[in-house]
Amino acid sequence: MNILGISAFYHDSAACLVRDGEIIAAAQEERFTRKKHDESFPENAIDFCLKFGGITRDQIDHVAFYDKPLLTFERLLETYIDFAPRGFRSFIKAMPVWLTEKLWTREEIRKRTGFDGTILFTEHHESHAASAFFPSPFESAAILTIDGVGEWATSSYGVGRGNQIALLAELRFIHSLGLLYSAFTYFTGFKVNSGEYKLMGLAPYGEPVYVQKILDELIDLREDGSLRLNMRYFDFASGLRMTNRRFADLFGGEARRPETAITQREMDLARSVQEVTEMAMLRMANHVHKETSKKHLCMAGGVALNCVGNGRILRETPFEKIWIQPAAGDAKASRQGKARG
């Protein structure tokens, strides 16, 4: 059986070919177009995977897409209504691409691939969980996924056994560890969904002087790792920016303009949000161990690319081994077709 996995239309589009439960080929569209984080339909990546696997398009048995666009559209509409009229400009900007492209993903896949068989849509965090557990070396493990947002979920945990996964609980939008990190990425002058690694790399040069301010004002972080964001300081739910004037006032001035000099403030902000993120990751992992009693942990989602936090989970939680999806962000979500047995 040949299964083609696809991720597209947001960032890091990719494709993957799975044959009888084994990953045959996987590729990210940016490698062919040379457009960093290319979000377009991954035609080149699909062609590569099929050629590498020695099959034609009419030999594909199933196509799997990495999220459910209708659920994401539902979340967007409910959020715009909740924050109306503040989100009107963002709403006007978002609707054309949704009404002409994203809501017609099934039809777009058929048109671009010529495939007329079954197209499967999995929830975003199910894709993350599957991509983490199924390629792992474990027959049984806990699963933890953390990212910005996929449909409604912003993090989830569950258990994998053999060729089955079961997600047990999730944290929902607008409360998101990944979006907190992206807000600081934006405020320190880096590009969201692209520059988070720069923020992590900047952190060792700073001091954690803003940790308590973040915990007091921006995030209510509970012992089990669940959290609530104080939306008085954020604009991502209703506007075209991640943060607002209150956020700038809290940290002593406007956001850094991209490509300008990095000051000690940006270094300290990076270090501070990195420490808060590690704190949240550790609490989440400890809670997952408590709930699942598993020896091993599999992780995926954009926050699972935070290697410093991952190292602390390995050293400071009861898990004996952890396995992180190498392409833990959305490019890997196309690989969710793999299943044992």
Side-chain angles (χ1 to χ4, degrees):
M1 179 176 289
N2 293 303
I3 301 173
L4 177 67
I6 296 174
S7 62
F9 304 137
Y10 296 94
H11 56 88
D12 298 307
S13 292
C16 177
L17 177 64
V18 175
R19 178 177 299 146
D20 297 332
E22 296 297 324
I23 297 174
I24 302 301
Q28 199 164 336
E29 186 68 3
E30 70 170 28
R31 305 299 182 180
F32 305 95
T33 64
R34 315 309 295 172
K35 177 183 177 183
K36 193 69 173 171
H37 303 292
D38 194 344
E39 78 284 354
S40 61
F41 191 83
E43 293 193 43
N44 297 289
I46 290 171
D47 287 341
F48 167 81
C49 290
L50 297 184
K51 183 178 179 180
F52 191 91
I55 65 170
T56 60
R57 295 188 180 214
D58 59 4
Q59 292 175 284
I60 300 170
D61 294 292
H62 300 289
V63 171
F65 192 73
Y66 79 137
D67 74 0
K68 294 188 174 183
L70 288 178
L71 283 180
T72 302
F73 190 61
E74 173 191 81
R75 188 232 324 151
L76 290 174
L77 290 180
E78 288 194 22
T79 303
Y80 285 132
I81 291 170
D82 286 345
F83 286 87
R86 284 193 297 160
F88 184 72
R89 286 180 58 210
S90 178
F91 175 81
I92 293 299
K93 185 174 181 179
M95 284 304 103
V97 69
W98 271 97
L99 296 177
T100 60
E101 183 179 84
K102 292 182 180 180
L103 283 178
W104 308 99
T105 297
R106 190 188 306 274
E107 290 76 10
E108 190 72 8
I109 291 172
R110 295 201 189 281
K111 182 176 73 174
R112 299 291 193 97
T113 65
F115 178 73
D116 61 359
T118 303
I119 300 175
L120 306 171
F121 293 82
T122 64
E123 290 191 13
H124 190 77
H125 279 257
E126 286 180 330
S127 297
H128 277 312
S131 77
F133 175 67
F134 289 139
S136 79
F138 310 133
E139 284 298 319
S140 178
I143 305 168
L144 175 61
T145 69
I146 319 169
D147 67 3
V149 60
E151 295 107 8
W152 283 100
T154 62
S155 62
S156 70
Y157 75 86
V159 173
R161 298 183 185 90
N163 67 347
Q164 301 289 322
I165 60 171
L167 296 183
L168 304 177
E170 67 182 26
L171 185 66
R172 307 197 93 194
F173 184 82
I174 50 181
H175 306 295
S176 166
L177 183 62
L179 289 176
L180 174 72
Y181 206 84
S182 290
F184 279 84
T185 300
Y186 165 85
F187 192 74
T188 52
F190 304 119
K191 189 176 180 180
V192 173
N193 289 331
S194 172
E196 282 79 3
Y197 77 96
K198 296 180 181 179
L199 189 70
M200 184 175 65
L202 188 62
Y205 297 95
E207 297 296 330
V209 296
Y210 298 112
V211 167
Q212 197 58 50
K213 186 172 287 189
I214 293 172
L215 293 173
D216 289 343
E217 299 291 339
L218 300 186
I219 179 174
D220 177 14
L221 179 61
R222 282 77 181 274
E223 284 302 313
D224 63 359
S226 62
L227 57 95
R228 293 184 64 84
L229 297 182
N230 184 350
M231 294 307 296
R232 293 182 67 251
Y233 293 97
F234 300 96
D235 205 26
F236 61 79
S238 60
L240 300 173
R241 304 175 303 167
M242 292 298 295
T243 62
N244 59 26
R245 169 65 66 179
R246 291 190 187 94
F247 193 102
D249 291 343
L250 186 65
F251 295 110
E254 293 295 327
R256 170 182 168 262
R257 294 195 307 276
E259 307 305 324
T260 60
I262 295 174
T263 69
Q264 189 62 45
R265 183 187 69 154
E266 282 75 55
M267 299 177 196
D268 293 343
L269 286 168
R271 175 68 177 275
S272 299
V273 74
Q274 175 65 28
E275 294 216 356
V276 172
T277 299
E278 291 171 24
M279 188 184 307
M281 292 175 71
L282 284 169
R283 292 186 184 186
M284 287 183 184
N286 279 318
H287 178 71
V288 172
H289 184 271
K290 178 182 176 182
E291 293 296 310
T292 66
S293 300
K294 294 294 182 182
K295 296 180 180 179
H296 305 140
L297 175 67
C298 298
M299 296 178 63
V303 178
L305 291 169
N306 195 301
C307 56
V308 182
N310 294 342
R312 291 193 63 186
I313 289 174
L314 179 60
R315 294 189 303 271
E316 300 177 35
T317 71
F319 287 108
E320 295 178 9
K321 294 181 179 180
I322 64 173
W323 194 89
I324 296 100
Q325 224 285 356
D330 282 359
K332 71 95 210 54
S334 64
R335 297 148 174 77
Q336 34 76 17
K338 184 179 190 297
R340 296 193 186 99

